Amino acid sequence: MGGKKVCVVGSGNWGSAIAKIAGSNTARLGSFESQVNMWVLEEEVGGRRLTDIINTEHENVKYLPGHKLPPNVGVDEGPDGLRLISDIIHEKLGIEMNVLMGANIANEVAEEKFCETTIGCKNMKHGQMLKDLMQTPNFRVSVVQEADTVEICGALKNVVAVGAGFCDGLGYGDNTKAAVIRLGLMEMIGFAKLFCKGPVTSSTFLESCGVADLITTCYGGRNRKVAEAFAKTGKSIEQLEKEMLNGQKLQGPQTSAELHRILKSKNAVEKFPLFTAVYRICYEGKPVTDFIACLQNHPEHM
């Protein structure tokens, strides 16, 4: 007792994967209290409360099946323009915020396959503590000070992944998807420079939170998967989300709408044609077949 307390708020596939890492590390390290509380949005699975299943069987059978959580992860029940989630939490709770983002598909992290991640930590005195809490031999952590840029990467990459999914659904190949990834990365950097108050350096985009997360999301993430089905089937995003995601939510389309409002307010829509095309296809009925034109006529090519 007497060490720092750790809790996990949220119990989707990523919350459960991170709880597995944090639970193992707190039980091993003396600088943290061993018990990790996980806050869960209560659901019924097969007639049983999900919290009861996690506490008795130590497995999130809905969102991360097949992976045992450490027994020291118990469950606490919680209450029923673009703002960073970290800013909102800081405002509500008055605590210092840091962010973790990377090329970290939850199932692969839970399977302990090797990957890297990035922690954005403005107060570097806390960086080593957070690295100790999160790092394992197969989950390698780097710490950078540009926390806002790290968090922005995590939001914007989902918009680019929607564009990558459109390309897959339209039958274009890897060359086209590579162009989407590169042009999307350029728009991510441009938007971060527009939005973030502090410094934005290109080196942060070379961390796992940047180009690596963008690549894995454009090839393996849920936003890409649903966008591909959207292009192939003509069904709505909302319908496909219900059919394909087992209760998980898409981030890309909603983020594109928030981006569009900000870009309009700053008279910068024409500088971000990829972000804008994703928004217009998802929300304004623009034909998905028009997406390639935004690549052909991108300012990067002028």
Side-chain angles (χ1 to χ4, degrees), residues 81-98:
L82 185 73
R83 295 189 65 204
L84 297 177
I85 294 295
S86 62
D87 287 340
I88 295 169
I89 297 171
H90 173 73
E91 181 183 290
K92 298 292 184 187
L93 300 183
I95 58 177
E96 190 172 312
M97 296 301 300
N98 306 288

Side-chain angles (χ1 to χ4, degrees), residues 167-222:
C167 287
D168 290 341
L170 293 168
Y172 290 92
D174 287 336
N175 293 346
T176 307
K177 192 188 282 193
V180 169
I181 291 170
R182 189 190 77 82
L183 293 169
L185 181 62
M186 299 308 294
E187 292 194 15
M188 287 169 61
I189 294 170
F191 186 85
K193 289 179 176 177
L194 186 72
F195 179 82
C196 293
K197 299 179 187 73
V200 174
T201 57
S202 298
S203 61
T204 301
F205 290 88
L206 297 177
E207 298 286 348
S208 185
C209 63
V211 66
D213 196 10
L214 181 60
I215 290 168
T216 198
T217 305
C218 286
Y219 278 91
R222 73 186 79 154

Side-chain angles (χ1 to χ4, degrees), residues 11-300:
S11 60
N13 61 353
W14 179 239
S16 299
I18 231 41
K20 183 178 178 183
I21 288 174
S24 298
N25 281 347
T26 59
R28 179 176 58 83
L29 298 168
S31 52
F32 299 94
E33 285 195 9
S34 64
Q35 180 166 312
V36 174
N37 286 328
M38 183 162 67
W39 293 69
V40 174
L41 180 65
E42 190 66 89
E43 300 180 69
E44 281 206 358
V45 179
R48 296 176 63 193
R49 298 196 323 167
L50 183 57
T51 51
D52 293 336
I53 296 170
I54 293 171
N55 278 340
T56 56
E57 298 171 22
H58 304 292
E59 181 180 348
N60 189 333
V61 294
K62 181 168 184 181
Y63 294 112
L64 198 68
H67 294 283
K68 291 294 182 183
L69 300 176
N72 58 315
V73 180
V75 170
D76 284 345
E77 293 182 42
D80 297 331
L82 185 73
R83 295 189 65 204
L84 297 177
I85 294 295
S86 62
D87 287 340
I88 295 169
I89 297 171
H90 173 73
E91 181 183 290
K92 298 292 184 187
L93 300 183
I95 58 177
E96 190 172 312
M97 296 301 300
N98 306 288
V99 296
L100 180 149
M101 298 280 176
N104 306 145
I105 291 175
N107 287 16
E108 295 181 16
V109 172
E111 290 162 9
E112 300 181 27
K113 294 178 177 174
F114 179 84
C115 68
E116 301 172 314
T117 200
T118 309
I119 290 177
C121 181
K122 293 173 185 174
N123 183 345
M124 292 302 276
K125 287 189 296 184
H126 294 167
Q128 188 59 48
M129 175 192 71
L130 294 168
K131 185 170 183 173
D132 289 343
L133 175 63
M134 293 298 175
Q135 184 158 270
T136 74
N138 284 320
F139 191 69
R140 309 309 294 177
V141 175
S142 62
V143 181
V144 300
Q145 281 192 286
E146 289 178 26
D148 288 353
T149 303
V150 172
E151 190 169 356
I152 280 283
C153 285
L156 301 188
K157 58 93 186 280
N158 292 315
V159 181
V160 183
V162 171
F166 290 160
C167 287
D168 290 341
L170 293 168
Y172 290 92
D174 287 336
N175 293 346
T176 307
K177 192 188 282 193
V180 169
I181 291 170
R182 189 190 77 82
L183 293 169
L185 181 62
M186 299 308 294
E187 292 194 15
M188 287 169 61
I189 294 170
F191 186 85
K193 289 179 176 177
L194 186 72
F195 179 82
C196 293
K197 299 179 187 73
V200 174
T201 57
S202 298
S203 61
T204 301
F205 290 88
L206 297 177
E207 298 286 348
S208 185
C209 63
V211 66
D213 196 10
L214 181 60
I215 290 168
T216 198
T217 305
C218 286
Y219 278 91
R222 73 186 79 154
N223 291 278
R224 186 220 63 80
K225 178 181 173 183
V226 173
E228 178 183 24
F230 175 86
K232 283 181 174 177
T233 67
K235 293 180 181 179
S236 71
I237 291 286
E238 294 78 11
Q239 185 178 354
L240 291 166
E241 186 180 60
K242 288 176 185 172
E243 290 178 7
M244 299 174 69
L245 295 186
N246 188 36
Q248 292 179 309
K249 298 297 181 185
L250 281 186
Q251 309 96 330
Q254 184 179 332
T255 302
S256 76
E258 295 176 18
L259 292 182
H260 192 67
R261 283 194 292 273
I262 291 169
L263 294 175
K264 276 180 73 175
S265 73
K266 294 183 180 290
N267 294 315
V269 169
E270 70 283 351
K271 295 179 182 176
F272 297 87
L274 192 151
F275 289 167
T276 300
V278 169
Y279 165 74
R280 289 186 168 144
I281 289 166
C282 289
Y283 291 103
E284 294 186 348
K286 186 179 177 73
V288 70
T289 48
D290 287 357
F291 182 67
I292 298 303
C294 90
L295 309 182
Q296 295 167 335
N297 301 315
H298 201 283
E300 281 271 309

